[in-house]
Amino acid sequence: MQTFGNPMLYHYLALGAALFTLGLIGFMVRRNMIMIFLSTEIMFQGIAINLIAFSRYWQNADGQSFVIFILTVAAAEASLALGLVVMLFRRRQTLNVDTWSEMQG
Amino acid sequence: MTTNINGMCPEIIMICGALIVMLMGLSRNDTVRRSTLGVAVASLILAFIAALRIGGIGTSAGWTLWPLATYDTLLASGVGILTILCSAGMPFGNEPEKPDRNYRGEYFALMLTSLAGVSMIGKTTNLIWLFLALELVSIPTYIMVATGRSNTPAQEAGIKYFFLGALSAAIYLFGFSYLYGFAGSTSYVAITAAFHAALATGHLPYVAIIGLIMVVIGIAYKIAAAPLHYYAPDVYQGAATPVTAFLSFAPKATGFFALIMVFNLTGWRLSGGTARVVPDLLIVLAVLTMFVGNVLALLQRNIKRMLAYSSISHSGYMLVGLAVGPFAAGNSPASGISATLFYLGGYSIMTVGAFAALTYMQGKSDAAEDLDDIAGIAGEHPFMAACMAVCLFSLIGMPGTIGFLGKLFIVQSALAGGHAVLAVLVVINAAIAAAYYLRIVAAMYIREPWSPFAVRQSTTLKAGALLGAVLTVFFGIFPALLFHQSNSSAAAVRSLVLNPPAGGIVEPVSRRATGRLLKSPLPAVAPTAAAISKP
């Protein structure tokens, strides 16, 4: 088996899972709202890689069309995220999420 | 995916209503903006009628769950009317000196869009469609939480809800991508066939099991099941009370219908071998959710937080029905799915009714939150206190209300399905829950008022609370109308599972060559047009 030049399905799945995990870790450790949102975007990219790899494997276009829908929804979520972040920044002049924890219990 | 367009009629009506409401909300005329509420209610009534009339017409190739889809649409539009009645005067925090900023219409437009998503879940025939419907429900609710009232708790709730919502979407999408990888198609028919073939060999590939677990975890967030419930109390407390009412209904209904759709793919037969882990996960989620919700609710003094934990515990009861599955107790209201669907309908009505009454009690700032805010309110506002008390008694599960029948069916289904321990745990939890609901009732009726009450004088709100209370008792005494719907939905699920639609197995070129899913090389040549077209 050649290591390079002949990628297997699981190489792509490993990449997708790695991106997803990195995004998940970033989501939990980052405190900046924009970085947290970008972490979720990285998770979406990991999913997109999974879908495209499977799409190639099964030789049909379901996965690729799924990716296009995911990108569209992610764009809608991005615009919403920026709106929310701007709204919150105006109120507190900081992007740190730790300043937004009034409610406890 | 040849669904008859007639079948989408209710959703089309809701989206058209949303567009009209959004345009009217831009008007300079205050009266036009005020009337957006009426237009929203009218479009939901039309959607309700349309759902009743098209009940049996539509067909979708090989995948016929019309009773379930109809129940979903009736629930979305019916309870939707209640949630809109209880949002009279939204968004709160109006500035009287700036009349152009009062009575904005987009709130109702967002609500209608979200309800169209709820109503679409039951009609999905494809994972892509399911994903779009789930996001159509979620995205408007993020905006509703963040802008429903203009104070910092609402914005904090909005950002928490948004980020965790995006995370949950990523988790269930990861599951969807593995389910697609397992079956080779996103269509329900093909995935069902793949599960059927794999379960017949007694070995379900890990791809499918991991996919299912991720989907269940992602959707468990939507129904606020423990341990993914931690956002719910903050969001329920921070959002304006009508938005909280909407949140206690829409994402929950979406989540349960989506879970039913996903488990339909597996044929509800995951009892053998490694696949066992998925039903076990449901049982663990159900038990954790019931106890976490009820025990933490006991510690709260904030009513909205208390009702948030209560909504978590009710998710636990409904998960018990899901864990039992569609086969126990056969064709009676006590089969697991039927009990869950009945409970979902009943729970939505009673919880929205309670929130409508709570919205009416304005309290110190713009919403009654603390138990002190409503202490002794029964003396001054006996009508609303009575509506609230009826809904709370139903949430406890008093006989004569819909909550009692819901719990009865859940317990019966657990016993029939051989989960006697789950049945006992449901009963224990119902007893724990009585304590904190009765604290609210006691505060309203027994304690002395310590400050004058501010209430939101609105006939619409009163009508919403009255309708919630009346329906709670009406369906408690005449449940047949509701459980006819839930029962026929469960029967449709059973017949679909017992006679899965034929065909749809996808066989890739590369698997024929190697026989192993993960170790096979990706085909080097670009797929031909013939290969791209769906088998």
Side-chain angles (χ1 to χ4, degrees):
Chain A
M1 184 187 86
Q2 287 174 286
T3 315
F4 298 105
N6 185 16
M8 304 282 183
L9 175 60
Y10 73 90
H11 289 127
Y12 288 98
L13 294 186
L15 177 62
L19 276 178
F20 186 85
T21 318
L22 279 177
L24 193 60
I25 295 171
F27 187 91
M28 302 204 177
V29 276
R30 288 291 189 160
R31 303 264 55 95
N32 182 310
M33 286 191 256
I34 293 181
M35 293 310 288
I36 292 179
F37 179 69
L38 286 182
S39 300
T40 64
E41 287 294 306
I42 291 177
M43 293 169 81
F44 279 118
Q45 299 320 311
I47 296 157
I49 287 180
N50 272 353
L51 283 170
I52 290 178
F54 280 130
S55 183
R56 186 61 180 268
Y57 170 75
W58 290 100
Q59 303 260 302
N60 64 27
D62 282 22
Q64 297 194 20
S65 44
F66 205 155
V67 169
I68 291 174
F69 280 106
I70 291 179
L71 290 181
T72 316
V73 171
E77 282 194 344
S79 63
L80 181 53
L82 288 178
L84 280 176
V85 167
V86 168
M87 192 170 84
L88 267 70
F89 183 78
R90 284 201 184 137
R91 183 81 70 150
R92 293 265 161 90
Q93 304 299 323
T94 169
L95 288 173
N96 192 333
V97 279
D98 291 335
T99 57
W100 291 92
S101 53
E102 280 175 25
M103 291 178 285
Q104 297 290 339
Chain B
M1 269 191 285
T2 49
T3 306
N4 194 326
I5 193 79
N6 287 339
M8 297 292 286
C9 195
E11 289 80 16
I12 295 172
I13 292 173
M14 287 186 213
I15 298 283
C16 288
L19 294 176
I20 295 170
V21 164
M22 196 166 264
L23 281 177
M24 285 173 65
L26 293 174
S27 163
R28 289 170 159 274
N29 186 335
D30 197 47
T31 323
V32 175
R33 286 204 306 278
R34 261 172 215 261
S35 60
T36 48
L37 183 136
V39 177
V41 170
S43 65
L44 282 179
I45 291 174
L46 277 179
F48 191 88
I49 295 168
L52 282 177
R53 287 189 59 88
I54 60 164
I57 296 177
T59 52
S60 56
W63 193 271
T64 44
L65 274 176
W66 277 99
L68 186 73
T70 308
Y71 183 59
D72 188 5
T73 307
L74 291 180
L75 206 59
S77 45
V79 183
I81 294 172
L82 266 183
T83 57
I84 286 190
L85 288 181
C86 100
S87 338
M90 283 294 290
F92 295 152
N94 288 338
E95 298 148 272
E97 70 279 10
K98 292 182 192 157
D100 57 315
R101 300 189 57 180
N102 290 349
Y103 305 108
R104 288 175 290 179
E106 71 263 21
Y107 174 83
F108 296 112
L110 293 169
M111 212 168 199
L112 284 174
T113 322
S114 191
L115 288 171
V118 177
S119 147
M120 225 177 265
I121 299 279
K123 298 194 175 77
T124 54
T125 58
N126 193 304
L127 285 182
I128 302 181
W129 197 357
L130 181 61
F131 160 66
L132 289 178
L134 283 167
E135 289 300 298
L136 189 60
V137 179
S138 309
I139 291 180
T141 56
Y142 305 145
I143 312 175
M144 284 161 62
V145 172
T147 62
R149 60 177 179 171
S150 51
N151 57 5
T152 45
Q155 296 179 352
E156 179 185 336
I159 201 82
K160 280 183 181 167
Y161 193 47
F162 172 76
F163 279 140
L164 292 167
L167 180 70
S168 87
I171 293 174
Y172 69 69
L173 270 176
F174 194 85
F176 284 178
S177 77
Y178 273 20
L179 287 184
Y180 167 59
F182 162 65
S185 168
T186 52
S187 110
Y188 285 177
V189 177
I191 299 176
T192 311
F195 267 106
H196 215 70
L199 288 170
T201 67
H203 173 72
L204 201 57
Y206 284 109
V207 174
I209 295 174
I210 295 172
L212 273 180
I213 291 175
M214 299 285 269
V215 171
V216 170
I217 291 175
I219 296 178
Y221 164 90
K222 295 241 174 287
I223 59 176
L228 297 136
H229 68 284
Y230 45 81
Y231 74 95
D234 289 357
V235 174
Y236 279 43
Q237 182 190 347
T241 316
V243 180
T244 312
F246 190 75
L247 289 184
S248 67
F249 157 63
K252 213 156 279 245
T254 313
F256 278 103
F257 278 105
L259 280 179
I260 290 174
M261 299 312 270
V262 168
F263 280 104
N264 284 343
L265 303 177
T266 69
W268 297 90
R269 285 213 182 77
L270 295 171
S271 46
T274 41
R276 171 92 224 142
V277 73
V278 181
D280 284 351
L281 177 70
L282 273 188
I283 292 176
V284 171
L285 278 181
V287 174
L288 260 183
T289 308
M290 285 191 289
F291 275 101
V292 166
N294 280 325
V295 172
L296 290 180
L298 285 175
L299 308 174
Q300 306 303 322
R301 281 197 63 77
N302 182 307
I303 303 169
K304 279 162 83 181
R305 268 188 111 75
M306 201 184 272
L307 288 176
Y309 281 112
S310 123
S311 89
I312 294 169
S313 68
H314 286 278
S315 285
Y317 305 140
M318 289 184 255
L319 278 172
V320 169
L322 274 192
V324 173
F327 299 119
N331 202 6
S332 78
S335 90
I337 301 301
S338 175
T340 298
L341 289 174
F342 182 86
Y343 203 102
L344 185 62
Y347 161 78
S348 308
I349 294 169
M350 58 201 181
T351 194
V352 174
F355 275 117
L358 189 62
T359 315
Y360 182 82
M361 302 167 186
Q362 194 170 357
K364 284 190 294 288
S365 54
D366 63 342
E369 299 212 333
D370 200 81
L371 277 177
D372 293 337
D373 289 346
I374 60 163
I377 202 163
E380 230 172 283
H381 303 281
F383 173 67
M384 292 311 268
C387 288
M388 178 112 177
V390 167
C391 293
L392 290 175
F393 278 125
S394 177
L395 285 164
I396 295 174
M398 289 283 177
T401 58
I402 196 168
F404 170 73
L405 289 170
K407 287 212 176 63
L408 181 71
F409 291 150
I410 293 271
V411 169
Q412 274 184 345
S413 77
L415 289 176
H419 294 282
V421 180
L422 277 181
V424 173
L425 290 179
V426 169
V427 175
I428 292 175
N429 270 285
I432 302 176
Y436 59 85
Y437 292 125
L438 287 176
R439 271 174 71 198
I440 305 182
V441 178
M444 289 193 301
Y445 279 90
I446 297 174
R447 285 176 56 185
E448 292 295 319
W450 64 285
S451 65
F453 299 108
V455 292
R456 220 176 278 283
Q457 282 297 353
S458 155
T459 324
T460 326
L461 260 179
K462 277 187 183 169
L466 179 66
L467 192 60
V470 167
L471 286 180
T472 301
V473 177
F474 176 79
F475 283 131
I477 298 169
F478 306 102
L481 282 173
L482 192 56
F483 78 58
H484 170 71
Q485 289 289 339
S486 65
N487 221 356
S488 56
S489 308
V493 168
R494 264 193 305 278
S495 72
L496 179 82
V497 169
L498 294 176
N499 312 298
I505 292 236
V506 184
E507 191 76 12
V509 184
S510 43
R511 180 185 272 186
R512 277 183 228 125
T514 64
R516 296 284 306 274
L517 178 63
L518 291 180
K519 287 285 175 68
S520 55
L522 291 183
V525 291
T528 59
I532 287 178
S533 67
K534 276 170 54 105

